[in-house]
Amino acid sequence: MKQPRSTPRSAPSSIVITGASSGIGEALALLYAAPGVALALTGRDSARLEAVAQRCRTAGSRVDTAVIDVADRAAMAEWLARVDAADPVDLLIANAGMSAGTGDGGETEEQARRILAVNIDGVLNSIHPLLPAMRARRHGQIALMASLAGFRGLPGAPAYCASKAMVRVYGESLRGDLAGEGIGVSVICPGFVKSRMTAVNRFPMPFLMETDAAARLIRRGLERNAARIAFPWPMMAAVWLLALLPPSWTDGPLRRAPRKA
């Protein structure tokens, strides 16, 4: 039977979070850390990742860490298989991602391909090694980190917007495919959240949110098995309006908007 849109999920006891060494990933790891909870965390900076892991252990969690590039399909598959064998995964948060734009003179092919590899292949490499076991157990939850930037292409960040649009639509489609198999899927679409990624922005960021507040919103949405967790609402409304308006009305203003470095 298809899951109702907002069927609540039981509290997860085994959680995988990619991109957990900073930003939203770090905040979610610390939020979920508790006695009886097994956390499996990835990141690209070993020192920052270990610092997060130690704080989670202090909170009572068992923590497994791995310094892996999520774009490395084989390494991700091997690690996730080991994690799931030790503690069958209840919740995967495919959070790892990267951002760059055209503010430093344009987007090169190398930059575009790297963003797409991390933000798209990294998500697929996080989901698919766990799907067969989740299907066999008829239990599990997957959260994909998209962005409000995935609703309308912005001249300042072509590859980033494209990658987040793919993640959003893929997650929405996957939710319907897996609903009858006991697996929940939620797509997370944040606006500007304080992190290492946004710290380099040299332009005003409307409705900039604290990382901890964003993590709490995400957790509440996942507890409800929400299809889409989008915030903050004023930014969400503005982006939806941009997506609805004809490009001939919006291309000019967007071309004059500040560019991401």
Side-chain angles (χ1 to χ4, degrees):
M1 181 180 294
K2 186 174 180 178
Q3 289 178 338
R5 178 179 177 275
S6 58
T7 301
R9 308 293 299 186
S10 57
S13 60
S14 176
I15 304 169
V16 173
I17 304 174
T18 66
S21 59
S22 64
I24 293 176
E26 175 184 4
L28 285 167
L30 297 172
L31 187 61
Y32 278 107
V37 175
L39 294 173
L41 311 175
T42 69
R44 288 182 295 172
D45 186 298
S46 58
R48 290 203 311 265
L49 183 63
E50 185 52 38
V52 174
Q54 190 53 50
R55 292 177 66 188
C56 293
R57 293 185 184 109
T58 300
S61 280
R62 303 189 312 280
V63 185
D64 182 292
T65 61
V67 179
I68 301 178
D69 183 345
V70 290
D72 187 333
R73 180 177 177 180
M76 285 293 290
E78 180 181 354
W79 178 67
L80 288 168
R82 179 170 60 80
V83 167
D84 193 69
D87 291 287
V89 175
D90 298 313
L91 170 61
L92 160 69
I93 303 177
N95 166 73
M98 66 174 293
S99 174
T102 62
D104 292 329
E107 185 166 84
T108 64
E109 179 182 355
E110 180 182 359
Q111 175 177 300
R113 288 185 179 278
R114 179 58 181 163
I115 291 171
L116 295 174
V118 171
N119 293 1
I120 295 178
D121 291 346
V123 166
L124 299 178
N125 294 343
S126 302
I127 293 171
H128 284 277
L130 293 173
L131 262 185
M134 285 186 173
R135 281 180 154 141
R137 294 190 290 265
R138 299 188 64 81
H139 172 77
Q141 187 173 18
I142 297 168
L144 292 77
M145 188 63 67
S147 169
L148 290 180
F151 284 88
R152 208 294 187 187
L154 305 173
Y160 180 76
C161 291
S163 68
K164 293 305 184 179
M166 182 276 180
V167 171
R168 176 178 65 83
V169 175
Y170 184 72
E172 291 168 351
S173 302
L174 199 63
R175 179 179 173 88
D177 274 348
L178 298 177
E181 300 186 53
I183 302 170
V185 180
S186 297
V187 176
I188 306 165
C189 299
F192 292 115
V193 177
K194 288 184 179 180
S195 67
R196 290 171 59 85
M197 190 179 292
T198 57
V200 301
N201 291 344
R202 299 189 294 265
F203 52 82
M205 291 177 281
F207 311 108
L208 179 66
M209 290 188 67
E210 294 292 335
T211 315
D212 291 345
R216 289 193 296 271
L217 280 173
I218 291 167
R219 180 171 179 170
R220 286 199 295 270
L222 293 178
E223 288 170 346
R224 299 194 315 271
N225 187 33
R228 183 184 292 161
I229 304 167
F231 57 88
W233 74 263
M235 190 76 172
M236 178 177 62
V239 169
W240 283 351
L241 179 61
L242 273 177
L244 288 172
L245 291 174
S248 59
W249 294 14
T250 57
D251 279 351
L254 287 177
R255 279 197 297 268
R256 293 190 292 272
R259 303 300 177 97
K260 182 175 181 64

